[in-house]
mmCIF file of all heavy atoms in Angstrom:
data_model
loop_
_atom_site.group_PDB
_atom_site.id
_atom_site.type_symbol
_atom_site.label_atom_id
_atom_site.label_comp_id
_atom_site.label_asym_id
_atom_site.label_seq_id
_atom_site.Cartn_x
_atom_site.Cartn_y
_atom_site.Cartn_z
ATOM 1 N N MET G 238 155.960 154.792 61.663
ATOM 2 C CA MET G 238 156.962 154.028 62.384
ATOM 3 C C MET G 238 157.332 154.750 63.623
ATOM 4 O O MET G 238 157.682 155.948 63.660
ATOM 5 C CB MET G 238 158.233 153.863 61.421
ATOM 6 C CG MET G 238 159.350 153.114 62.121
ATOM 7 S SD MET G 238 160.783 153.025 60.971
ATOM 8 C CE MET G 238 160.107 152.030 59.653
ATOM 9 N N PHE G 244 171.155 150.527 71.625
ATOM 10 C CA PHE G 244 172.235 150.451 72.497
ATOM 11 C C PHE G 244 173.387 149.654 71.837
ATOM 12 O O PHE G 244 173.069 148.711 71.121
ATOM 13 C CB PHE G 244 171.916 149.903 73.774
ATOM 14 C CG PHE G 244 170.879 150.624 74.517
ATOM 15 C CD1 PHE G 244 169.481 150.233 74.432
ATOM 16 C CD2 PHE G 244 171.219 151.689 75.405
ATOM 17 C CE1 PHE G 244 168.447 150.961 75.121
ATOM 18 C CE2 PHE G 244 170.250 152.278 76.098
ATOM 19 C CZ PHE G 244 168.904 152.001 76.035
ATOM 20 N N GLY G 245 174.585 150.045 72.191
ATOM 21 C CA GLY G 245 175.729 149.279 71.618
ATOM 22 C C GLY G 245 176.962 149.538 72.469
ATOM 23 O O GLY G 245 176.921 150.353 73.379
ATOM 24 N N GLU G 251 189.668 157.671 74.029
ATOM 25 C CA GLU G 251 189.540 158.498 75.263
ATOM 26 C C GLU G 251 188.174 158.430 75.803
ATOM 27 O O GLU G 251 187.336 157.825 75.174
ATOM 28 C CB GLU G 251 189.990 159.978 74.927
ATOM 29 C CG GLU G 251 191.483 160.119 74.481
ATOM 30 C CD GLU G 251 191.730 161.627 74.138
ATOM 31 O OE1 GLU G 251 191.839 162.413 75.121
ATOM 32 O OE2 GLU G 251 191.780 161.988 72.915
ATOM 33 N N ALA G 255 186.030 163.761 76.769
ATOM 34 C CA ALA G 255 187.355 164.376 76.177
ATOM 35 C C ALA G 255 187.125 164.492 74.645
ATOM 36 O O ALA G 255 187.539 165.496 74.111
ATOM 37 C CB ALA G 255 188.524 163.460 76.592
ATOM 38 N N GLN G 265 184.241 159.716 65.920
ATOM 39 C CA GLN G 265 184.658 158.483 66.438
ATOM 40 C C GLN G 265 183.507 157.441 66.320
ATOM 41 O O GLN G 265 183.753 156.253 66.226
ATOM 42 C CB GLN G 265 185.128 158.656 67.838
ATOM 43 C CG GLN G 265 186.458 159.286 68.040
ATOM 44 C CD GLN G 265 187.645 158.424 67.566
ATOM 45 O OE1 GLN G 265 187.505 157.189 67.605
ATOM 46 N NE2 GLN G 265 188.738 159.028 67.227
ATOM 47 N N GLY G 278 175.977 162.193 82.298
ATOM 48 C CA GLY G 278 176.349 161.225 83.296
ATOM 49 C C GLY G 278 177.581 160.476 82.860
ATOM 50 O O GLY G 278 177.780 159.291 83.330
ATOM 51 N N VAL G 289 159.779 169.542 64.062
ATOM 52 C CA VAL G 289 159.411 170.941 63.826
ATOM 53 C C VAL G 289 158.703 171.562 64.976
ATOM 54 O O VAL G 289 158.903 172.744 65.437
ATOM 55 C CB VAL G 289 158.555 171.157 62.543
ATOM 56 C CG1 VAL G 289 158.028 172.588 62.354
ATOM 57 C CG2 VAL G 289 159.381 170.790 61.275
ATOM 58 N N ARG G 304 160.225 190.262 72.631
ATOM 59 C CA ARG G 304 159.264 191.274 72.915
ATOM 60 C C ARG G 304 159.577 192.044 74.134
ATOM 61 O O ARG G 304 159.365 193.248 74.269
ATOM 62 C CB ARG G 304 157.880 190.612 73.120
ATOM 63 C CG ARG G 304 157.304 190.005 71.828
ATOM 64 C CD ARG G 304 155.873 189.435 72.055
ATOM 65 N NE ARG G 304 155.433 188.650 70.913
ATOM 66 C CZ ARG G 304 154.241 188.037 70.934
ATOM 67 N NH1 ARG G 304 153.424 188.200 71.876
ATOM 68 N NH2 ARG G 304 153.902 187.385 69.875
ATOM 69 N N VAL G 322 177.230 173.261 75.821
ATOM 70 C CA VAL G 322 177.612 173.631 77.229
ATOM 71 C C VAL G 322 178.661 172.643 77.741
ATOM 72 O O VAL G 322 178.317 171.414 77.815
ATOM 73 C CB VAL G 322 176.416 173.688 78.058
ATOM 74 C CG1 VAL G 322 176.821 174.131 79.534
ATOM 75 C CG2 VAL G 322 175.370 174.728 77.593
ATOM 76 N N LEU G 335 167.887 175.999 74.422
ATOM 77 C CA LEU G 335 167.890 177.504 74.530
ATOM 78 C C LEU G 335 168.585 178.004 75.737
ATOM 79 O O LEU G 335 168.357 177.376 76.864
ATOM 80 C CB LEU G 335 166.450 178.006 74.461
ATOM 81 C CG LEU G 335 166.210 179.522 74.431
ATOM 82 C CD1 LEU G 335 165.026 179.876 73.531
ATOM 83 C CD2 LEU G 335 166.007 180.095 75.888
ATOM 84 N N ALA G 340 173.879 190.383 79.426
ATOM 85 C CA ALA G 340 174.465 191.184 78.330
ATOM 86 C C ALA G 340 175.960 191.358 78.565
ATOM 87 O O ALA G 340 176.659 191.558 77.599
ATOM 88 C CB ALA G 340 173.866 192.629 78.434
ATOM 89 N N ASP G 350 185.242 180.093 70.364
ATOM 90 C CA ASP G 350 185.043 179.023 71.358
ATOM 91 C C ASP G 350 183.917 178.035 70.923
ATOM 92 O O ASP G 350 182.918 178.582 70.461
ATOM 93 C CB ASP G 350 184.780 179.551 72.736
ATOM 94 C CG ASP G 350 185.957 180.389 73.264
ATOM 95 O OD1 ASP G 350 187.097 180.168 72.765
ATOM 96 O OD2 ASP G 350 185.769 181.225 74.216
ATOM 97 N N ILE G 358 175.683 181.051 82.311
ATOM 98 C CA ILE G 358 174.381 180.871 81.944
ATOM 99 C C ILE G 358 173.445 181.372 83.060
ATOM 100 O O ILE G 358 173.696 181.129 84.220
ATOM 101 C CB ILE G 358 174.021 179.394 81.707
ATOM 102 C CG1 ILE G 358 174.864 178.926 80.482
ATOM 103 C CG2 ILE G 358 172.550 179.133 81.413
ATOM 104 C CD1 ILE G 358 174.788 177.420 80.291
ATOM 105 N N VAL G 364 163.259 171.456 75.779
ATOM 106 C CA VAL G 364 161.939 170.963 75.372
ATOM 107 C C VAL G 364 162.106 169.417 75.111
ATOM 108 O O VAL G 364 162.934 169.060 74.287
ATOM 109 C CB VAL G 364 161.503 171.652 74.088
ATOM 110 C CG1 VAL G 364 160.132 171.107 73.621
ATOM 111 C CG2 VAL G 364 161.282 173.153 74.329
ATOM 112 N N PRO G 376 166.298 162.930 87.724
ATOM 113 C CA PRO G 376 166.774 161.519 87.644
ATOM 114 C C PRO G 376 165.721 160.645 88.204
ATOM 115 O O PRO G 376 165.116 160.878 89.148
ATOM 116 C CB PRO G 376 168.108 161.525 88.376
ATOM 117 C CG PRO G 376 168.478 162.946 88.415
ATOM 118 C CD PRO G 376 167.315 163.690 88.444
ATOM 119 N N SER G 385 169.935 167.188 86.576
ATOM 120 C CA SER G 385 170.812 167.071 87.689
ATOM 121 C C SER G 385 172.156 167.692 87.323
ATOM 122 O O SER G 385 172.865 168.268 88.199
ATOM 123 C CB SER G 385 171.042 165.650 88.173
ATOM 124 O OG SER G 385 171.505 164.798 87.156
ATOM 125 N N TYR G 387 172.809 170.285 85.243
ATOM 126 C CA TYR G 387 172.714 171.727 85.365
ATOM 127 C C TYR G 387 172.705 172.104 86.844
ATOM 128 O O TYR G 387 173.335 173.196 87.096
ATOM 129 C CB TYR G 387 171.388 172.197 84.642
ATOM 130 C CG TYR G 387 171.425 172.131 83.168
ATOM 131 C CD1 TYR G 387 170.312 171.507 82.444
ATOM 132 C CD2 TYR G 387 172.401 172.682 82.321
ATOM 133 C CE1 TYR G 387 170.300 171.408 81.073
ATOM 134 C CE2 TYR G 387 172.454 172.586 80.983
ATOM 135 C CZ TYR G 387 171.348 172.009 80.359
ATOM 136 O OH TYR G 387 171.329 171.976 78.969
ATOM 137 N N ASP G 399 157.775 170.042 78.916
ATOM 138 C CA ASP G 399 157.572 168.604 78.759
ATOM 139 C C ASP G 399 156.378 168.290 77.810
ATOM 140 O O ASP G 399 155.261 168.665 78.171
ATOM 141 C CB ASP G 399 157.319 167.973 80.082
ATOM 142 C CG ASP G 399 157.696 166.437 80.022
ATOM 143 O OD1 ASP G 399 157.468 165.875 78.900
ATOM 144 O OD2 ASP G 399 158.081 165.861 81.012
ATOM 145 N N ARG G 400 156.692 167.748 76.689
ATOM 146 C CA ARG G 400 155.583 167.503 75.661
ATOM 147 C C ARG G 400 155.054 166.137 75.716
ATOM 148 O O ARG G 400 154.109 165.801 74.857
ATOM 149 C CB ARG G 400 156.163 167.739 74.273
ATOM 150 C CG ARG G 400 156.685 169.179 73.940
ATOM 151 C CD ARG G 400 157.076 169.357 72.485
ATOM 152 N NE ARG G 400 155.951 169.031 71.606
ATOM 153 C CZ ARG G 400 156.049 168.302 70.540
ATOM 154 N NH1 ARG G 400 157.153 167.749 70.219
ATOM 155 N NH2 ARG G 400 154.965 168.189 69.729
ATOM 156 N N GLN G 404 151.968 163.841 80.749
ATOM 157 C CA GLN G 404 152.278 164.862 81.791
ATOM 158 C C GLN G 404 152.720 166.214 81.049
ATOM 159 O O GLN G 404 153.813 166.761 81.401
ATOM 160 C CB GLN G 404 153.411 164.362 82.635
ATOM 161 C CG GLN G 404 154.642 163.905 81.980
ATOM 162 C CD GLN G 404 155.682 163.256 82.884
ATOM 163 O OE1 GLN G 404 155.362 162.463 83.712
ATOM 164 N NE2 GLN G 404 156.888 163.729 82.730
ATOM 165 N N PRO G 405 151.957 166.725 80.143
ATOM 166 C CA PRO G 405 152.409 167.978 79.418
ATOM 167 C C PRO G 405 152.328 169.133 80.303
ATOM 168 O O PRO G 405 151.491 169.209 81.179
ATOM 169 C CB PRO G 405 151.356 168.027 78.274
ATOM 170 C CG PRO G 405 150.067 167.415 78.852
ATOM 171 C CD PRO G 405 150.624 166.228 79.726
ATOM 172 N N PRO G 413 169.454 175.807 92.762
ATOM 173 C CA PRO G 413 170.200 174.562 92.612
ATOM 174 C C PRO G 413 171.005 174.294 93.899
ATOM 175 O O PRO G 413 171.704 175.082 94.495
ATOM 176 C CB PRO G 413 171.099 174.888 91.414
ATOM 177 C CG PRO G 413 171.253 176.323 91.423
ATOM 178 C CD PRO G 413 169.976 176.946 91.779
ATOM 179 N N GLU G 417 173.820 168.086 96.001
ATOM 180 C CA GLU G 417 172.903 167.004 95.679
ATOM 181 C C GLU G 417 172.505 166.895 94.245
ATOM 182 O O GLU G 417 171.942 165.882 93.774
ATOM 183 C CB GLU G 417 171.571 167.327 96.506
ATOM 184 C CG GLU G 417 171.686 167.242 98.049
ATOM 185 C CD GLU G 417 172.021 165.913 98.506
ATOM 186 O OE1 GLU G 417 171.542 164.880 97.959
ATOM 187 O OE2 GLU G 417 172.775 165.786 99.507
ATOM 188 N N TYR G 420 167.176 170.632 92.078
ATOM 189 C CA TYR G 420 166.464 171.979 92.022
ATOM 190 C C TYR G 420 165.280 171.957 92.913
ATOM 191 O O TYR G 420 164.691 170.929 93.210
ATOM 192 C CB TYR G 420 166.050 172.283 90.672
ATOM 193 C CG TYR G 420 167.139 172.799 89.660
ATOM 194 C CD1 TYR G 420 167.640 171.922 88.586
ATOM 195 C CD2 TYR G 420 167.762 174.115 89.812
ATOM 196 C CE1 TYR G 420 168.508 172.401 87.766
ATOM 197 C CE2 TYR G 420 168.674 174.549 88.914
ATOM 198 C CZ TYR G 420 169.080 173.755 87.872
ATOM 199 O OH TYR G 420 169.985 174.137 87.005
ATOM 200 N N GLU G 421 164.788 173.199 93.248
ATOM 201 C CA GLU G 421 163.469 173.373 93.839
ATOM 202 C C GLU G 421 162.561 173.732 92.703
ATOM 203 O O GLU G 421 162.978 174.434 91.709
ATOM 204 C CB GLU G 421 163.581 174.488 94.864
ATOM 205 C CG GLU G 421 164.399 174.246 96.047
ATOM 206 C CD GLU G 421 163.865 173.126 96.915
ATOM 207 O OE1 GLU G 421 162.574 172.959 96.936
ATOM 208 O OE2 GLU G 421 164.670 172.451 97.614
ATOM 209 N N LEU G 434 158.219 184.128 84.173
ATOM 210 C CA LEU G 434 159.455 183.980 84.773
ATOM 211 C C LEU G 434 159.675 185.163 85.860
ATOM 212 O O LEU G 434 159.485 186.290 85.507
ATOM 213 C CB LEU G 434 160.533 184.168 83.654
ATOM 214 C CG LEU G 434 160.491 183.163 82.536
ATOM 215 C CD1 LEU G 434 161.673 183.363 81.605
ATOM 216 C CD2 LEU G 434 160.541 181.704 83.043
ATOM 217 N N THR G 451 152.534 163.636 69.425
ATOM 218 C CA THR G 451 151.479 162.684 69.135
ATOM 219 C C THR G 451 152.117 161.421 68.582
ATOM 220 O O THR G 451 153.280 161.478 68.200
ATOM 221 C CB THR G 451 150.552 163.193 67.996
ATOM 222 O OG1 THR G 451 151.345 163.627 66.945
ATOM 223 C CG2 THR G 451 149.782 164.414 68.527
#
Side-chain angles (χ1 to χ4, degrees):
M238 180 181 295
F244 298 92
E251 296 179 75
Q265 286 288 335
V289 172
R304 291 183 191 181
V322 179
L335 182 144
D350 293 339
I358 298 172
V364 178
S385 60
Y387 287 131
D399 201 333
R400 298 185 61 225
Q404 52 185 47
E417 295 293 328
Y420 282 110
E421 298 291 332
L434 301 182
T451 55

